Amino acid sequence: MSVQFIDSKKAAQLIPDKAIIALDGFLGTDVPEEILENIKHRFETEGHPKEIDVWHASGIGDGKNKGTNNFAVKGLLHRLVGGHWALAPQLQPLAAHNDFEAFNFPQGVLSQIFRDSAAHKPVQINRVGLGTFVDPDISGGRLNDAAKADTLVSKVKIHNKDYLAYEVPKPNVALLRGTFADENGNVTFEDEPLTLVATSVAMAAHNNGGKVFVQVKRVVKSGSLKPKDIRIPGVLVDYIVETSNEAMTMQSTSTLYNPDFVHQNILKNVKDINVPLDAKKVIARRASMFKKDSDSIVNYGIGKYPETVSLILKEEGAADNITTTVEPGTFGGVPLGGGNFGCAIAPESTIDEPYMFDFYDGGGIDITFLGLAESDKVGNVNVSKFGPKIAGTGGFVDITQNTSTIIFTGTFTAGGLKEEVSNGKLHILKEGKFDKFVNNVQQITFSGPVAYENKQHIYYVTERALFHLVKDGIELIEIAPGIDLEKDVLGHMAFKPIISPQLHEMDKRIFQEALMKTNNNLNKAHRPMTTV
């Protein structure tokens, strides 16, 4: 069948009941928003398509009503398997009420699953997820009781090692967005900062006998596109949906720069960066000291603490030998945060998302800086689920299980915490309502025991205490000057950590205004590098 050119309303009419949809997108990048909105509108007016399955690798939406929030209508979904959920708050009440089967798998696993689906592989074999909530011995990635009827991941042994076998879907619909399509259905991505899983998703649906819909900005004449720019060959495409002007508000929101974050990161002269001295800067300073002096390939997670580490390395002149990576596919440049997370200004290169996770799975990153929401006595970390609130793992599981050095960053307590840094000390003005170091985390997004077995170097950096992972749990190795060990640290932990016989104060210069601008190698002698 030759490619057909239709509008988004017609596209929605062509989605069958019980469709298995493979959806591309990362926040607002590559999201076929106009098609999604019309699917929702058709269901609300006609009751079709109903009971659909949706598979997507990354978080898709704006945290309000865009992206996968369009599926938040009772009866529309039968199952949703997503890598990240925080951007779809409207789906979460429906998942909590068991209105559909809800699963959360690692982002990298899902990005590679589409490639495996295109090759008709029955399962994807991966070690990513072992010991976490994705492990079938724990919850198998299920997020609600409705999901208990199905098993999408199982455990197998290969060469006497445990692996996870993830079921591979057979999508009969692919929904994607590019920039330009020619008259033969070839699609390019000039105005999208990322290419994500577009090729894999299109190929998966096509090879499984399904239909491929691609929303584009404009249709151009055949022969006007460069062959190497085409990321979705026309032979894979069934329908091209040229977007209406009204839908362009969602088109490539990732190209809108975050002024504050961008302004500080693109400056070449470190003297122009001046991060205020507060608890956040203390955390980032101490975390940044784990970066090797040699060339390093680095990943920064989403959130203010990992992002501040990036700023501190710039401010204090230690970023020259760093190559940054972001999981949807960028190397180098300046990674963006907030609603533009995943993209970078002036990246050195951009590759497809499954290949970036191949790089991560093979240990390509030297060090990663990630957030710390909740940790427990054996070193597990939870960043994915808190009560009824589903954040999802994103690339967190993939990255933490395959990186040799991991630095978790965050405040020691949460909820109204107020602190100040003065006179070379940390002062707690008002303690947080919630303790982050608990007996058992609500969901295991990172497994301390698995990391120890894998001989990874794991550190937990807060503004008042620094821990590292050892055989029997986490060991306290440093506390901030001005902090009382019993009252301010142990008094806010549900368990007593191992306390190092060499417990000492963090370097006082971390708590001073001018620090490493003339001395990038601060505290080399104090830098704890344990072997596990």
Side-chain angles (χ1 to χ4, degrees), residues 112-125:
Q112 294 162 340
I113 269 180
F114 295 124
R115 195 170 57 187
D116 291 338
S117 176
H120 288 179
K121 296 179 181 178
V123 294
Q124 185 202 86
I125 304 297

PDB file of all heavy atoms in Angstrom, residues 112-125:
ATOM      1  N   GLN A 112      14.741  -0.617  23.862  1.00  0.00           N
ATOM      2  CA  GLN A 112      15.321  -1.743  23.132  1.00  0.00           C
ATOM      3  C   GLN A 112      14.275  -2.794  22.775  1.00  0.00           C
ATOM      4  O   GLN A 112      14.451  -3.538  21.804  1.00  0.00           O
ATOM      5  CB  GLN A 112      16.442  -2.362  23.973  1.00  0.00           C
ATOM      6  CG  GLN A 112      17.622  -1.413  24.160  1.00  0.00           C
ATOM      7  CD  GLN A 112      18.522  -1.808  25.323  1.00  0.00           C
ATOM      8  OE1 GLN A 112      18.102  -2.558  26.210  1.00  0.00           O
ATOM      9  NE2 GLN A 112      19.740  -1.296  25.346  1.00  0.00           N
ATOM     10  N   ILE A 113      13.185  -2.849  23.538  1.00  0.00           N
ATOM     11  CA  ILE A 113      12.114  -3.812  23.251  1.00  0.00           C
ATOM     12  C   ILE A 113      11.506  -3.574  21.873  1.00  0.00           C
ATOM     13  O   ILE A 113      11.172  -4.514  21.150  1.00  0.00           O
ATOM     14  CB  ILE A 113      11.033  -3.764  24.355  1.00  0.00           C
ATOM     15  CG1 ILE A 113      11.379  -4.771  25.455  1.00  0.00           C
ATOM     16  CG2 ILE A 113       9.645  -4.042  23.803  1.00  0.00           C
ATOM     17  CD1 ILE A 113      10.383  -4.814  26.599  1.00  0.00           C
ATOM     18  N   PHE A 114      11.344  -2.310  21.481  1.00  0.00           N
ATOM     19  CA  PHE A 114      10.764  -2.029  20.165  1.00  0.00           C
ATOM     20  C   PHE A 114      11.664  -2.567  19.051  1.00  0.00           C
ATOM     21  O   PHE A 114      11.176  -3.078  18.038  1.00  0.00           O
ATOM     22  CB  PHE A 114      10.542  -0.524  19.998  1.00  0.00           C
ATOM     23  CG  PHE A 114       9.524   0.041  20.946  1.00  0.00           C
ATOM     24  CD1 PHE A 114       9.847   1.098  21.788  1.00  0.00           C
ATOM     25  CD2 PHE A 114       8.248  -0.470  21.008  1.00  0.00           C
ATOM     26  CE1 PHE A 114       8.927   1.627  22.667  1.00  0.00           C
ATOM     27  CE2 PHE A 114       7.301   0.048  21.886  1.00  0.00           C
ATOM     28  CZ  PHE A 114       7.645   1.101  22.717  1.00  0.00           C
ATOM     29  N   ARG A 115      12.959  -2.450  19.232  1.00  0.00           N
ATOM     30  CA  ARG A 115      13.906  -2.983  18.255  1.00  0.00           C
ATOM     31  C   ARG A 115      13.786  -4.510  18.182  1.00  0.00           C
ATOM     32  O   ARG A 115      13.812  -5.104  17.107  1.00  0.00           O
ATOM     33  CB  ARG A 115      15.326  -2.565  18.666  1.00  0.00           C
ATOM     34  CG  ARG A 115      16.373  -2.724  17.600  1.00  0.00           C
ATOM     35  CD  ARG A 115      17.658  -2.051  18.029  1.00  0.00           C
ATOM     36  NE  ARG A 115      18.167  -2.551  19.296  1.00  0.00           N
ATOM     37  CZ  ARG A 115      19.196  -2.029  19.942  1.00  0.00           C
ATOM     38  NH1 ARG A 115      19.813  -0.971  19.449  1.00  0.00           N
ATOM     39  NH2 ARG A 115      19.619  -2.543  21.081  1.00  0.00           N
ATOM     40  N   ASP A 116      13.625  -5.143  19.352  1.00  0.00           N
ATOM     41  CA  ASP A 116      13.451  -6.592  19.385  1.00  0.00           C
ATOM     42  C   ASP A 116      12.120  -7.008  18.760  1.00  0.00           C
ATOM     43  O   ASP A 116      12.014  -8.071  18.136  1.00  0.00           O
ATOM     44  CB  ASP A 116      13.524  -7.103  20.825  1.00  0.00           C
ATOM     45  CG  ASP A 116      14.918  -6.975  21.414  1.00  0.00           C
ATOM     46  OD1 ASP A 116      15.883  -6.904  20.632  1.00  0.00           O
ATOM     47  OD2 ASP A 116      15.046  -6.939  22.652  1.00  0.00           O
ATOM     48  N   SER A 117      11.095  -6.186  18.950  1.00  0.00           N
ATOM     49  CA  SER A 117       9.798  -6.477  18.352  1.00  0.00           C
ATOM     50  C   SER A 117       9.894  -6.466  16.831  1.00  0.00           C
ATOM     51  O   SER A 117       9.296  -7.305  16.152  1.00  0.00           O
ATOM     52  CB  SER A 117       8.757  -5.461  18.828  1.00  0.00           C
ATOM     53  OG  SER A 117       7.520  -5.661  18.194  1.00  0.00           O
ATOM     54  N   ALA A 118      10.644  -5.524  16.295  1.00  0.00           N
ATOM     55  CA  ALA A 118      10.823  -5.450  14.843  1.00  0.00           C
ATOM     56  C   ALA A 118      11.494  -6.705  14.309  1.00  0.00           C
ATOM     57  O   ALA A 118      11.224  -7.143  13.182  1.00  0.00           O
ATOM     58  CB  ALA A 118      11.646  -4.220  14.479  1.00  0.00           C
ATOM     59  N   ALA A 119      12.365  -7.322  15.136  1.00  0.00           N
ATOM     60  CA  ALA A 119      13.089  -8.532  14.727  1.00  0.00           C
ATOM     61  C   ALA A 119      12.350  -9.816  15.101  1.00  0.00           C
ATOM     62  O   ALA A 119      12.889 -10.912  14.927  1.00  0.00           O
ATOM     63  CB  ALA A 119      14.478  -8.531  15.352  1.00  0.00           C
ATOM     64  N   HIS A 120      11.120  -9.674  15.635  1.00  0.00           N
ATOM     65  CA  HIS A 120      10.285 -10.820  16.022  1.00  0.00           C
ATOM     66  C   HIS A 120      10.943 -11.684  17.092  1.00  0.00           C
ATOM     67  O   HIS A 120      10.779 -12.907  17.102  1.00  0.00           O
ATOM     68  CB  HIS A 120       9.933 -11.671  14.806  1.00  0.00           C
ATOM     69  CG  HIS A 120       8.953 -11.026  13.886  1.00  0.00           C
ATOM     70  ND1 HIS A 120       8.516 -11.636  12.719  1.00  0.00           N
ATOM     71  CD2 HIS A 120       8.323  -9.828  13.925  1.00  0.00           C
ATOM     72  CE1 HIS A 120       7.665 -10.843  12.087  1.00  0.00           C
ATOM     73  NE2 HIS A 120       7.534  -9.729  12.813  1.00  0.00           N
ATOM     74  N   LYS A 121      11.661 -11.057  18.010  1.00  0.00           N
ATOM     75  CA  LYS A 121      12.211 -11.800  19.138  1.00  0.00           C
ATOM     76  C   LYS A 121      11.121 -11.948  20.201  1.00  0.00           C
ATOM     77  O   LYS A 121      10.422 -10.985  20.504  1.00  0.00           O
ATOM     78  CB  LYS A 121      13.423 -11.074  19.703  1.00  0.00           C
ATOM     79  CG  LYS A 121      14.586 -10.999  18.714  1.00  0.00           C
ATOM     80  CD  LYS A 121      15.776 -10.252  19.296  1.00  0.00           C
ATOM     81  CE  LYS A 121      16.904 -10.181  18.276  1.00  0.00           C
ATOM     82  NZ  LYS A 121      18.079  -9.422  18.789  1.00  0.00           N
ATOM     83  N   PRO A 122      10.964 -13.121  20.787  1.00  0.00           N
ATOM     84  CA  PRO A 122       9.858 -13.342  21.727  1.00  0.00           C
ATOM     85  C   PRO A 122      10.055 -12.642  23.058  1.00  0.00           C
ATOM     86  O   PRO A 122       9.081 -12.250  23.714  1.00  0.00           O
ATOM     87  CB  PRO A 122       9.837 -14.863  21.899  1.00  0.00           C
ATOM     88  CG  PRO A 122      11.247 -15.286  21.603  1.00  0.00           C
ATOM     89  CD  PRO A 122      11.740 -14.350  20.544  1.00  0.00           C
ATOM     90  N   VAL A 123      11.312 -12.522  23.511  1.00  0.00           N
ATOM     91  CA  VAL A 123      11.619 -11.846  24.769  1.00  0.00           C
ATOM     92  C   VAL A 123      12.898 -11.041  24.598  1.00  0.00           C
ATOM     93  O   VAL A 123      13.689 -11.292  23.682  1.00  0.00           O
ATOM     94  CB  VAL A 123      11.800 -12.842  25.950  1.00  0.00           C
ATOM     95  CG1 VAL A 123      10.503 -13.551  26.284  1.00  0.00           C
ATOM     96  CG2 VAL A 123      12.914 -13.842  25.649  1.00  0.00           C
ATOM     97  N   GLN A 124      13.067 -10.079  25.494  1.00  0.00           N
ATOM     98  CA  GLN A 124      14.345  -9.379  25.568  1.00  0.00           C
ATOM     99  C   GLN A 124      15.068  -9.844  26.823  1.00  0.00           C
ATOM    100  O   GLN A 124      14.499  -9.806  27.928  1.00  0.00           O
ATOM    101  CB  GLN A 124      14.158  -7.862  25.649  1.00  0.00           C
ATOM    102  CG  GLN A 124      15.492  -7.130  25.599  1.00  0.00           C
ATOM    103  CD  GLN A 124      15.419  -5.748  26.199  1.00  0.00           C
ATOM    104  OE1 GLN A 124      15.574  -5.565  27.390  1.00  0.00           O
ATOM    105  NE2 GLN A 124      15.156  -4.770  25.349  1.00  0.00           N
ATOM    106  N   ILE A 125      16.291 -10.283  26.673  1.00  0.00           N
ATOM    107  CA  ILE A 125      17.087 -10.774  27.790  1.00  0.00           C
ATOM    108  C   ILE A 125      17.975  -9.648  28.284  1.00  0.00           C
ATOM    109  O   ILE A 125      18.725  -9.053  27.510  1.00  0.00           O
ATOM    110  CB  ILE A 125      17.954 -11.989  27.380  1.00  0.00           C
ATOM    111  CG1 ILE A 125      17.066 -13.098  26.792  1.00  0.00           C
ATOM    112  CG2 ILE A 125      18.751 -12.490  28.566  1.00  0.00           C
ATOM    113  CD1 ILE A 125      16.068 -13.676  27.763  1.00  0.00           C
TER     114      ILE A 125
END
